[in-house]
Amino acid sequence: MNNYMRFEFPAKSENEKLARTVCAAFILELDPTIDEVDEIKTAISEAVTNSIIHGYENDTGTVCIEGDITGREVTYIVRDAGCGIDDIQKAMEPLYTGKPGAERSGMGFSIMEAFMDELRVESCPGKGTTIIMKKRISEDAG
């Protein structure tokens, strides 16, 4: 089973729910478990929130999400054209936050890594960030 989708939306916090819903609906053809849907929704939420809060610093911009299903593996790519990340390794450390005064927990990448089978982050300061996440949906899910 192969499928593909792509959508863009303004980098506004209220659109995080839209992203979660679209990405969850996209995998329904694979008959995932409730846990698998919840894990994907949470990982997408973290990636989109990072784009809005850190990438655009709550300024105007666009977030793009691409989804690809190949067999029973889903890949999501969350991309922004925001400020980028200077030190990806540092940013991926648990509890690290670039906005300590903003009550951020610094667990976004750790959560994405915990809930997805694969996580890759690419970024160029001043040009944006791309987060690639993959998850295999179990055969006997439903």
Side-chain angles (χ1 to χ4, degrees):
M1 179 176 300
N2 296 327
N3 200 0
Y4 178 83
M5 64 97 174
R6 180 174 195 243
F7 73 108
E8 293 182 356
F9 51 91
K12 296 181 177 187
S13 59
E14 58 263 33
N15 287 333
E16 177 253 333
K17 290 176 189 167
L18 169 69
R20 289 169 51 99
T21 302
V22 169
C23 290
F26 180 64
I27 62 161
L28 291 180
E29 67 187 75
L30 298 176
D31 197 21
T33 65
I34 291 171
D35 286 342
E36 288 169 331
V37 172
D38 285 345
E39 289 170 355
I40 285 172
K41 286 169 65 175
T42 300
I44 290 295
S45 179
E46 293 294 335
V48 169
T49 298
N50 275 1
S51 290
I52 295 166
I53 301 292
H54 298 288
Y56 292 114
E57 299 183 333
N58 289 316
D59 199 4
T60 58
T62 301
V63 177
C64 176
I65 298 180
E66 296 175 37
D68 179 81
I69 295 173
T70 302
R72 298 201 60 82
E73 183 177 73
V74 62
T75 301
Y76 289 106
I77 299 171
V78 180
R79 182 177 292 122
D80 67 63
C83 65
I85 301 170
D86 290 323
D87 186 342
I88 294 171
Q89 275 190 306
K90 183 76 173 165
M92 292 183 76
E93 289 177 8
L95 303 177
Y96 173 81
T97 178
K99 298 195 176 302
E103 296 184 28
R104 309 302 304 166
S105 69
M107 294 299 292
F109 286 126
S110 296
I111 291 168
M112 288 179 239
E113 209 163 30
F115 288 153
M116 302 300 277
D117 296 325
E118 187 178 321
L119 171 68
R120 193 169 77 240
V121 180
E122 301 169 354
S123 190
C124 183
K127 296 189 178 181
T129 300
T130 300
I131 298 171
I132 301 118
M133 301 180 284
K134 294 184 179 190
K135 185 167 191 71
R136 180 157 180 74
I137 305 303
S138 58
E139 294 279 347
D140 57 345

